[in-house]
Amino acid sequence: MIREIKNGRLFFDGCDTVELAKKYGTPIYVMSQTDIESRFDELKRDFTDKYPNTRVAYASKAFCTVGMYKICEKNGISIDIVSLGELIAAEKAGFPAERIEFNGNNKLPAEIDKAVRYGVGRFIVDGLQELPLIEAAAEKYQKKVNVIIRITPGVAASTHDYIVTGKKDSKFGIPLDDDIFLPVVKQAIDSPWIEFLGLHMHIGSQLFENDAFIKALDVVMDHAAKIKEKFGVAIREVNFGGGFGVKYTDEVRKPYSFFLDPLMAELEKRSAEIGIERPAAVIEPGRSIVAEAGITLYTVGQIKDIPGLRKYVSIDGGMGDNIRVALYQAEYDAVIANKADAEATETVTVCGKCCESGDIILTDFKIPAGVEAGDILATFSTGAYGYSMASNYNNNPIPGVVLVKDGQSDWLVKPQTPEQIIQNNVVPDFI
Ligand code: LLP
């Protein structure tokens, strides 16, 4: 069990969270290596060992740190990156270039240049102007570059509007109109600098049903058939994207096999129909690898009780370390880590310290009565898109990240200091 209660305290991956708060300070993100690796084990058992010619590329946008890349590397996982910053972190981790897959809807020329020079394994082409940029860099470094083309399958997955990506009106992917899609594919096939491998889809995030995945895959395979018919080329790779849902409050995370077994069956069936070998299958999970592996620890400060209305409990972090509540109306579960077995009888609203009324982490949430300054609040499932979307609003430093594993703990990222926030500030002479 990653989460346990012992002597009234919350333990996480064998570590007493109240002691972690004392030792490392708050606010602090805590990531469990055991939980991350249990996801990798599940994927190995139910995907990469079960089906030949398959690969997992961790979507590092969910949680990108040098140490996380080391964990991926050690577990034989590839990574999906979307920026120079993520590439530099991967380089720092000594991550093997051929296991890096480069996504993103507006890869900058400097990013493409660096990625080609580094020798990344794949570019997932997402826009019409991208191929010529890749070709130019490939020629410059005299390296042939592997390319997958991301399509917009025109499928609406059911999730929050901000994280839907598969419908036609999307900034991501190549539209499937023949006069747009086919010329891009032809350009990739004809280029001496490009190895055209196949197609990519990503329909959205925090998904619990597989019908939209299957529908999108069908669209991908319809277009694989078109590519075979028009150009006589068999695609060799299909990327299903990520999006597998996790538990924040009442949700139940579905095993990867729930999504992947039907997808693999469909891929097999459709490949046979088209008369091509079953292409390599790749997934890009982000949230499902790290969300539940992370908690955030805060210290309770001011408490404001408005009689008959609401009790606000302030913590020393907030929207700077978790923007998901304000941005997606996300809901979380939490406990008072030093009163973890006390019955939750009092309803409070937990707010952050930013100058923003929307800086709320938990609304009308039940905690044990008698919350007081100095209590440690732990919010659960904060490992994905928490640290990676953190901000310096109000010049609050971004909290550090502690990695825990079987009772051991150490820094993964040290906390930012206020001085570091202003280190690039300059004062022009003409002020
Ligand atoms: N592949 C591609 C091309 C993506 O755009 C994404 C996520 C993933 C994979 C990973 O999806 P995941 O397995 O993590 O659901 N900030 C939002 C989520 C944005 C997702 C962006 N793309 C949130 O906090 O809910």
Side-chain angles (χ1 to χ4, degrees), residues 59 61-62 80 103 150 163 165 172 200 202 204-206 241-244 248 284-288 324 328 384-385 389:
K61 69 204 82 182
D80 144 29
N103 258 296
R150 176 170 178 179
I163 49 178
T165 54
F172 297 108
H200 176 288
H202 172 74
S205 201
Q206 185 63 351
F244 315 107
Y248 287 103
E284 286 171 348
R287 189 193 311 270
S288 58
R324 299 194 68 261
Y328 317 113
Y385 304 109
M389 294 177 84

Side-chain angles (χ1 to χ4, degrees), residues 207-259:
L207 306 176
F208 292 90
E209 299 302 328
N210 56 25
D211 50 340
F213 276 102
I214 299 286
K215 269 190 211 147
L217 177 59
D218 280 335
V219 175
V220 165
M221 294 312 282
D222 290 346
H223 288 77
K226 220 174 238 184
I227 292 169
K228 169 121 186 294
E229 183 195 315
K230 298 270 182 211
F231 310 122
V233 169
I235 62 162
R236 283 171 281 163
E237 194 162 305
V238 170
N239 190 318
F240 303 145
F244 315 107
V246 304
K247 177 178 175 59
Y248 287 103
T249 55
D250 302 331
E251 308 90 337
V252 180
R253 187 182 84 86
K254 300 223 159 106
Y256 288 110
S257 57
F258 169 83
F259 300 96

Side-chain angles (χ1 to χ4, degrees), residues 8 29 94 106 128 139 190 228 257 320 335-336 351 353 368 381:
Y29 301 99
N106 184 24
L128 300 180
E139 187 169 6
D190 290 348
K228 169 121 186 294
S257 57
V335 295
I336 300 290
C351 60
K353 68 187 292 298
S381 293

Side-chain angles (χ1 to χ4, degrees), residues 20 26 97 139 149 189 196 205 239 242 269 281-282 338 346 393:
L20 289 177
T26 60
E139 187 169 6
I149 292 179
I189 291 171
F196 168 69
S205 201
N239 190 318
K269 178 177 135 226
V282 188
N338 51 308
E346 188 173 14
Y393 183 42

